[in-house]
Amino acid sequence: MSKELLNLTNLFHKLATSGPKISVIENTDPVLKELSEIKDFDERVEFAKEQKGWKLLGTGSARAAFSVNQKLVLKVAINEKGISQNQIEMDPDMQTPCTAKIYAADGGGRWILFQATKTITEKRFKELTGMGFGSYCKALWVKFDNNSDPHPPNDFEEIENNPFFKCVCELVLKNNLLLGDLTESKISSYGEVDGKVKVRDFGMDIFLYQSSYADKSDNSSSSSSSAKSST
C-alpha cells in the first residue's frame, strides 16, 4: 500500500468516527489515479488484481469488489451498469446513518472506495436491530405497497418505529431505490460496523433498473418491483 493511501486510510478512519454524515473527499493516491486513467473495464480490474495487498472479494453482474485493507473496500465497475451503480452510491444523499460510508470515488464512477463492513448473518441482524430479517423485508414491501401478500408481519407496528427501519425507508423513498436489492433474502446487502447494521450495497434505483435490467436476461441484481410510497 502506498504512503498516500495509508494516509488516506488513517484520515478515513478518523472521519468515520466523527459523525454520521461525511462528504466524499478528493483522492490523492497515485494508484487510484492510475486506476481512473485506464479506459478498458477488464484492464482496470486486472490492474486492481495486481496491487499488492488487495484481495478480490467477489464479482457481480456490474462490479468487482476488492479488500484494500481492514478499513477499506474498493468497488470497480466492470461495465456501464457498474459505473451507474457507483454513481448512485457516491451521491451525498446516500450518506445516512444506516449506509456504509463512502470516502473517495472516481468522478466518472469507475471505482468507489467504501468503509469496510463485517459480513453478518440473519441472526446477527436480529441481535443488532431487534428485527427478524424476514419480518423486516416483508415490512419494507408492505410499507411501500409492493407485496403480493398484503398482510403485514405480526410485529409490523414495532418494526415501523424501529430507527434502522425508518432510516432505510427514508433512503428508499428519497432516492427511488429498488426494494429487491434490500430484500429478497439479500442479507449480503448488509454489514456491521462498530455493532451497528449498515446497508453496504445500494447502487440500484428504479431508473437504472428500467434502463439496464428490466426485461433482460442478465437481470441478476434486483427485483422488478419498484419502491412506491403508500403514504
Side-chain angles (χ1 to χ4, degrees), residues 184-214:
E184 303 296 330
S185 300
K186 287 193 174 183
I187 190 65
S188 60
S189 293
Y190 301 84
E192 177 182 349
V193 176
D194 297 330
K196 295 182 179 180
V197 175
K198 302 288 182 178
V199 184
R200 64 183 184 183
D201 189 1
F202 45 94
M204 180 66 67
D205 62 18
I206 297 171
F207 310 109
L208 176 58
Y209 171 79
Q210 290 176 340
S211 64
S212 301
Y213 287 92

Side-chain angles (χ1 to χ4, degrees), residues 127-144:
E127 290 175 354
L128 295 177
T129 67
M131 299 178 290
F133 186 69
S135 294
Y136 158 80
C137 291
K138 185 174 183 180
L140 276 177
W141 286 110
V142 172
K143 181 72 174 178
F144 290 98

Side-chain angles (χ1 to χ4, degrees), residues 85-98:
Q85 290 185 26
N86 281 344
Q87 289 174 331
I88 290 171
E89 289 181 343
M90 64 192 281
D91 187 330
D93 283 342
M94 294 295 193
Q95 290 291 271
T96 73
C98 55

Side-chain angles (χ1 to χ4, degrees), residues 37-130:
E37 293 170 358
I38 299 173
K39 304 301 181 183
D40 183 79
F41 287 108
D42 292 338
E43 290 180 8
R44 196 177 299 125
V45 172
E46 288 303 314
F47 177 83
K49 289 180 179 179
E50 293 169 358
Q51 300 311 303
K52 185 177 180 180
W54 292 18
K55 178 182 178 182
L56 178 64
L57 298 175
T59 302
S61 65
R63 298 181 291 182
F66 293 86
S67 172
V68 174
N69 54 43
Q70 291 182 338
K71 300 174 184 176
L72 298 172
V73 170
L74 183 76
K75 293 184 181 181
V76 180
I78 64 174
N79 50 39
E80 292 296 335
K81 289 180 287 189
I83 284 180
S84 296
Q85 290 185 26
N86 281 344
Q87 289 174 331
I88 290 171
E89 289 181 343
M90 64 192 281
D91 187 330
D93 283 342
M94 294 295 193
Q95 290 291 271
T96 73
C98 55
T99 51
K101 296 186 186 342
I102 299 165
Y103 298 123
D106 171 76
R110 298 174 183 87
W111 56 263
I112 189 168
L113 199 60
F114 267 84
Q115 177 186 29
T117 62
K118 295 180 182 178
T119 297
I120 62 171
T121 62
E122 292 188 11
K123 179 180 178 181
R124 183 61 174 163
F125 181 92
K126 185 173 184 178
E127 290 175 354
L128 295 177
T129 67

Side-chain angles (χ1 to χ4, degrees), residues 173-186:
L173 185 60
K174 186 176 181 181
N175 299 286
N176 296 296
L177 295 189
L178 216 64
L179 291 184
D181 264 12
L182 302 175
T183 58
E184 303 296 330
S185 300
K186 287 193 174 183

